[in-house]
Amino acid sequence: MAKTQIPASATESADPDSASEPGPEDREAAGRVLTLASDALAKLRDTLDGRFSQAVDAMQATQGRVIVSGMGKSGHVARKIAATLASTGTPAHYVHPGEASHGDLGMVTRGDCLLVLSNSGENQELGDIIAHGKRINTPLIAITSKADSTLARAATVLLHLPEAEEACPMGMAPTTSSTMMIALGDALAVALMERRGFTKDKYRELHPGGRLGQMLVRVSDIMHPVERVPMVKRDTKVPQAVAQITASGFGCTGVGDIAGRLIGVITDGDLRRHLGADLVSRDATEVMTPSPRTIAKDALAGEAIAQMNEVDPPVMVLFVVDTASNDPQAPVGILHMHDLLRAGFA
């Protein structure tokens, strides 16, 4: 069997610095698409009215889920909007209108809210899901460019897309219109996030995997608890401090005052620097490094990495404190560089 010949240009490096300029026809096509999209989004922004807030009201008030539906390209956009809503604190899922007519109408229940997308507003496949929503008194938010369409007339809230030219040379393939739908879906999701007071912690709960989840891991999630924090009193002799360092496995021990507040740290390096015949008779305060580095338990793990690496050589251990407590200098945990590495931080 003859091998397919791949053009040399297709195997070249994807280095953006080495990429050649697009051809004039390609640049013209890209420019037309982006310009039409930009103009349409500006028009959409300027034509938003009180119905947008009514749509947000309906979605926020729902006791169930936001059921997003659409056919064809509108269906692909609807899937994206449903995913964005669900990942930002608004329970939502996509229902295919064709499948809805064959049993999936059971996914739409009382207490839900329908968000239906159709550029023309006349997709026959949407009829059953719209009718079902009416039977169970489900609010219907419609996104369409045809204010006199069947979908628009059935809507509880109509989000009308302004008239805009499709970028397709034939003016038929959904391009500009689908861009407006995606942007309007994002606007709804963000408005709901802000109304709900959706925080970074809530966001992390819904994004535990991947880079997003990692970025929002807090020190308190991966630190060792207070019971594991190695501490000795300020008048502890060095041999007892060494025993604590050995037993803890962290390569150090904190030094506390009479109230348990952290006043210093003793590391293997501190011991080497104070080697001498009288080392065993010294108190902890005589060999410790005063004012050790600490980090708040609510800080992001990425902040801990940055703090460890801002000195040379890097610090391997940070004592964790609760800045909101009555005694913010009392350790509530300890964090080792290895803990951060195990959590996926380089």
Side-chain angles (χ1 to χ4, degrees):
M1 181 181 294
K3 291 185 177 181
T4 301
Q5 295 297 315
I6 301 175
S9 59
T11 61
E12 291 177 356
S13 169
D15 181 0
D17 294 332
S18 65
S20 60
E21 288 292 318
E25 292 182 358
D26 295 336
R27 177 180 287 278
E28 192 280 329
R32 182 179 67 253
V33 172
L34 297 176
T35 298
L36 288 173
S38 176
D39 292 345
L41 291 176
K43 188 182 295 186
L44 176 62
R45 177 197 61 207
D46 294 340
T47 56
L48 283 181
D49 55 23
R51 289 175 292 186
F52 179 82
S53 291
Q54 291 172 14
V56 179
D57 289 339
M59 295 167 76
Q60 184 181 20
T62 184
Q63 299 300 305
R65 296 150 299 175
V66 177
I67 309 299
V68 193
S69 189
M71 195 68 190
K73 302 300 184 294
S74 295
H76 294 303
V77 173
R79 287 180 186 274
K80 188 272 180 190
I81 292 174
T84 300
L85 288 169
S87 71
T88 53
T90 299
H93 69 251
Y94 171 77
V95 173
H96 190 287
E99 297 297 336
S101 300
H102 296 276
D104 282 3
L105 282 178
M107 296 182 179
V108 186
T109 62
R110 294 183 188 276
D112 290 342
C113 176
L114 278 169
L115 175 61
V116 179
L117 288 68
S118 171
N119 189 38
S120 70
E122 297 294 349
N123 297 89
Q124 291 183 354
E125 297 88 349
L126 294 171
D128 288 337
I129 197 168
I130 293 172
H132 179 66
K134 290 295 182 183
R135 281 195 299 271
I136 62 175
N137 199 30
T138 299
L140 169 60
I141 302 166
I143 298 180
T144 179
S145 64
K146 305 299 181 183
D148 59 347
S149 63
T150 302
L151 174 60
R153 290 193 297 271
T156 309
V157 181
L158 170 61
L159 298 179
H160 182 222
L161 300 177
E163 184 177 349
E165 180 185 351
E166 300 287 12
C168 160
M170 296 176 291
M172 298 177 66
T175 47
T176 310
S177 59
S178 57
T179 298
M180 286 193 288
M181 285 182 177
I182 289 177
L184 193 52
D186 288 342
L188 290 168
V190 170
L192 283 162
M193 285 178 68
E194 294 183 359
R195 282 203 189 181
R196 297 182 192 279
F198 195 74
T199 63
K200 286 185 177 180
D201 285 334
K202 293 177 182 176
Y203 192 84
R204 182 172 62 83
E205 289 174 6
L206 300 178
H207 299 77
R211 182 62 180 163
L212 287 175
Q214 187 186 61
M215 287 171 60
L216 297 171
V217 170
R218 296 195 180 277
V219 168
S220 57
D221 296 323
I222 55 176
M223 73 181 189
H224 298 273
V226 64
E227 296 81 12
R228 292 287 311 277
V229 178
M231 291 286 288
V232 297
K233 297 179 180 179
R234 59 185 305 151
D235 58 352
T236 300
K237 297 300 181 183
V238 166
Q240 286 73 43
V242 171
Q244 178 69 288
I245 293 172
T246 303
S248 73
F250 292 108
C252 70
T253 182
V255 180
D257 62 14
I258 193 170
R261 288 184 291 265
L262 186 69
I263 61 172
V265 62
I266 300 175
T267 66
D268 294 336
D270 292 316
L271 295 173
R272 287 193 297 272
R273 284 189 289 273
H274 290 88
L275 278 176
D278 63 341
L279 178 61
V280 296
S281 62
R282 289 190 172 192
D283 290 344
T285 52
E286 297 180 76
V287 298
M288 72 179 188
T289 296
S291 303
R293 289 175 173 266
T294 61
I295 191 162
K297 70 173 188 176
D298 294 330
L300 296 175
E303 297 176 57
I305 279 281
Q307 191 174 140
M308 288 178 171
N309 287 327
E310 69 184 12
V311 292
D312 188 20
V315 173
M316 295 298 292
V317 173
L318 292 174
F319 287 85
V320 183
V321 296
D322 184 357
T323 55
S325 72
N326 294 328
D327 196 353
Q329 285 303 110
V332 297
I334 189 168
L335 183 68
H336 197 282
M337 177 70 80
H338 292 165
D339 302 319
L340 291 160
L341 294 175
R342 279 192 293 270
F345 291 87

